[in-house]
Amino acid sequence: MTTTISTPTYSLQKLGWKPYFQQQLSLDEWDQMKPARVCALHRNRLDVFSEHGHLSIPVLPNMPVLAVGDWILLSGEDHFARLLERFSRFWRKAAGSKIEEQLIASNVDTVFIVCSLNQDFNLSRIERYLALAHQSGVEPVIVLSKADCVDDPTLYVEQVHHIDNMLLVEYVNGLDRDSVDKLAPWCRTGKTVAFLGSSGAGKSTLVNTLLATETQQTASIREEDSKGRHTTTARSLHLMQGGGLLLDTPGMRELQLADCSEGLSTTFADIETLAEQCRFGDCAHQYEPGCAVLAAIESGALEERRLRNYLKLNREVTFNTASIAEKRAKSKQLGRMYRTIQSTNRKHKNRE
């Protein structure tokens, strides 16, 4: 049963509708169906924004896997009809020991990679998030939060630019509205921004300031390690006063990468360019003679930390991608076996 949560109407443009989605609809679908955007997922229901208000519809067994940010079509009775193809999507290897992909969010224009200017500041973690953003085809903006905790935030901006001097970097005090206004160019009407960052990076404070409301609870910083307490527990899409849409995500404590080779290549383009100059095509950049990457480290042109992280993330992607592919192959094999058994059983029954 579909429930109307609120009756305010939203234009499709304000909800992030693009020609990309329009082109997927037939004339009959445009006349008979209603586009709606998923704004929250629950165990048995999903909330959507549409031109007809804020609705809650039941999750049914035949539905595809959905993510916050998805566009779906609803029938005239507000029943789920189909999922529209996504133009961008975030996914990761599921946390813990599960060997499978987990969809995080979809149809995002810009991702704010939030890193706080205290002991949580970590260039290798920023590179990990950058790889995910590049793989998803989403514009990344590095947001250095808690700028009031340091004397000179520009020193940290310079460190981030050592990763890539073309990166967009802003430092903000999440409690200061004027400071957070630096992010306004990416929050225009119809644009969707997502937040990525570790627990306690200050995402919830930024969300509250951008929305001018206490949508997300916040918690104080632990003095012993300068880490904030994890507060956000579910992904959700919010309409901002400036016209944009904000997608908040829980802190990613175990952001493991899978099927992210292109994202790594973009994030570490300098290393891969150097690797083309190595004497051996299969150079591992460890001890091999004629390694252009090691030569760059010795000359100071490349940071050793960056190479270590590149090799680490490549190993992770290789392992997780192979593990997921192996599980998919076993699942298909098991499915074929079940179908064979069922077919055999049906033949025996027909003979009887």
Side-chain angles (χ1 to χ4, degrees):
M1 176 179 175
T2 300
T3 304
T4 300
I5 299 177
S6 61
T7 55
T9 58
Y10 312 97
S11 70
L12 289 180
Q13 181 186 10
K14 187 172 183 179
L15 294 176
W17 187 258
K18 304 177 186 294
Y20 178 85
F21 303 115
Q22 182 76 41
Q23 294 165 4
Q24 298 180 44
L25 273 62
S26 66
L27 291 177
D28 287 342
E29 285 179 324
W30 183 245
D31 290 336
Q32 301 171 17
M33 300 289 182
K34 294 183 288 189
R37 194 166 190 195
V38 177
C39 58
L41 289 171
H42 310 286
R43 185 180 299 274
N44 299 314
R45 305 186 69 80
L46 59 93
D47 297 341
V48 301
F49 289 133
S50 77
E51 287 184 300
H52 305 277
H54 188 185
L55 309 174
S56 180
I57 66 176
V59 172
L60 303 176
N62 61 343
M63 284 185 180
V65 175
L66 296 173
V68 173
D70 275 338
W71 278 97
I72 62 175
L73 295 182
L74 301 178
S75 68
E77 296 76 28
D78 291 330
H79 296 156
F80 173 84
R82 75 178 179 97
L83 167 69
L84 296 183
E85 184 179 340
R86 305 164 176 122
F87 75 82
S88 69
R89 70 186 184 104
F90 281 96
W91 72 97
R92 67 172 183 177
K93 176 188 173 293
S97 59
K98 291 184 179 180
I99 307 298
E100 59 186 36
E101 291 181 349
Q102 179 186 18
L103 195 59
I104 301 172
S106 70
N107 300 320
V108 173
D109 296 292
T110 302
V111 59
F112 291 148
I113 298 174
V114 185
C115 185
S116 61
L117 296 183
N118 52 26
Q119 293 179 29
D120 182 64
F121 182 78
N122 187 305
L123 292 175
S124 294
R125 186 184 298 125
I126 290 174
E127 289 169 343
R128 177 181 288 269
Y129 283 111
L130 278 172
L132 183 65
H134 289 313
Q135 184 69 29
S136 304
V138 177
E139 177 189 38
V141 177
I142 312 302
V143 179
L144 303 179
S145 63
K146 304 180 183 178
D148 54 313
C149 293
V150 297
D151 294 329
D152 188 0
T154 61
L155 297 177
Y156 293 86
V157 174
E158 291 175 4
Q159 291 185 56
V160 176
H161 277 151
H162 286 161
I163 296 175
D164 181 350
N165 60 11
M166 297 301 290
L167 280 175
L168 298 169
V169 187
E170 297 286 354
Y171 59 87
V172 300
N173 174 0
L175 296 172
D176 184 345
R177 178 71 210 194
D178 291 336
S179 177
V180 175
D181 279 345
K182 294 178 181 179
L183 307 180
W186 296 281
C187 303
R188 300 188 303 274
T189 298
K191 295 296 183 180
T192 302
V193 298
F195 281 69
L196 291 176
S198 60
S199 298
K203 298 189 305 300
S204 295
T205 300
L206 282 170
V207 167
N208 289 336
T209 302
L210 284 168
L211 297 177
T213 181
E214 288 295 319
T215 299
Q216 301 292 352
Q217 294 182 346
T218 58
S220 59
I221 294 176
R222 295 194 302 259
E223 293 184 359
E224 64 270 20
D225 58 8
S226 295
K227 292 185 180 294
R229 298 180 177 88
H230 178 70
T231 50
T232 306
T233 57
R235 287 178 282 277
S236 51
L237 187 68
H238 308 272
L239 289 162
M240 291 184 280
Q241 291 183 342
L245 297 110
L246 186 152
L247 198 157
D248 191 28
T249 58
M252 303 281 180
R253 298 169 189 259
E254 298 182 64
L255 184 64
Q256 294 192 42
L257 306 180
D259 193 18
C260 197
S261 298
E262 291 182 11
L264 284 179
S265 294
T266 302
T267 304
F268 296 94
D270 54 342
I271 294 179
E272 299 214 342
T273 299
L274 286 169
E276 295 175 357
Q277 304 170 30
C278 291
R279 180 183 302 176
F280 303 107
D282 59 349
C283 183
H285 319 306
Q286 297 292 317
Y287 311 104
E288 296 86 348
C291 176
V293 176
L294 294 179
I297 291 176
E298 290 178 5
S299 69
L302 178 67
E303 189 180 358
E304 185 176 359
R305 176 210 61 80
R306 188 160 163 79
L307 174 62
R308 289 198 305 269
N309 199 37
Y310 169 73
L311 296 174
K312 173 187 174 183
L313 294 180
N314 262 298
R315 289 193 298 268
E316 182 179 310
V317 167
T318 300
F319 175 79
N320 287 336
T321 302
S323 299
I324 291 172
E326 182 180 356
K327 181 178 180 180
R328 285 174 178 165
K330 287 182 179 179
S331 179
K332 289 181 180 178
Q333 185 178 8
L334 193 61
R336 286 195 294 269
M337 184 182 71
Y338 286 151
R339 288 192 293 272
T340 300
I341 293 173
Q342 290 172 350
S343 177
T344 302
N345 289 340
R346 283 195 294 270
K347 289 179 181 178
H348 283 307
K349 288 182 180 180
N350 291 333
R351 288 173 183 173
E352 293 174 357

